[in-house]
Amino acid sequence: TMDGEIFTATLVPSGNIAPNSSMTLEQKTTFAFVILLFIFLGILIVRCFRILLNPYRSMPTSTWADGLDGLEKGQFDYAL
């Protein structure tokens, strides 16, 4: 088929271009960026699993009404 010929032709370098075994600057930058994304993904996965295993560890012990001086809970709207 025509599609197979085009696909194989793009993978094989033509005879007049010498194959370059070293990576270009753009390829190195892309490779470094992908590695940083994988590290970031790993950190997020570890953090999510820690939250799933112990969800109450990251919650603060105080509530939103602790800072209201003398006001009952539910009266915050009237304080404004």
Side-chain angles (χ1 to χ4, degrees), residues 26-42:
E26 185 179 68
Q27 289 173 333
K28 290 178 183 177
T29 305
T30 305
F31 188 72
F33 184 69
V34 168
I35 294 296
L36 287 175
L37 282 178
F38 275 121
I39 292 171
F40 183 67
L41 179 66

Side-chain angles (χ1 to χ4, degrees), residues 6-8 12 18 21 27-29 31-32 37-38 44-45 47 50 52 55 58 66 68 80:
I6 292 175
F7 183 71
T8 56
V12 177
S21 62
Q27 289 173 333
K28 290 178 183 177
T29 305
F31 188 72
L37 282 178
F38 275 121
L44 286 180
I45 288 173
R47 185 168 184 238
R50 288 178 65 191
L52 285 174
S58 60
D66 285 346
L68 300 177
L80 295 176

Side-chain angles (χ1 to χ4, degrees), residues 7-20:
F7 183 71
T8 56
T10 56
L11 293 178
V12 177
S14 58
N16 58 0
I17 300 174
N20 191 359

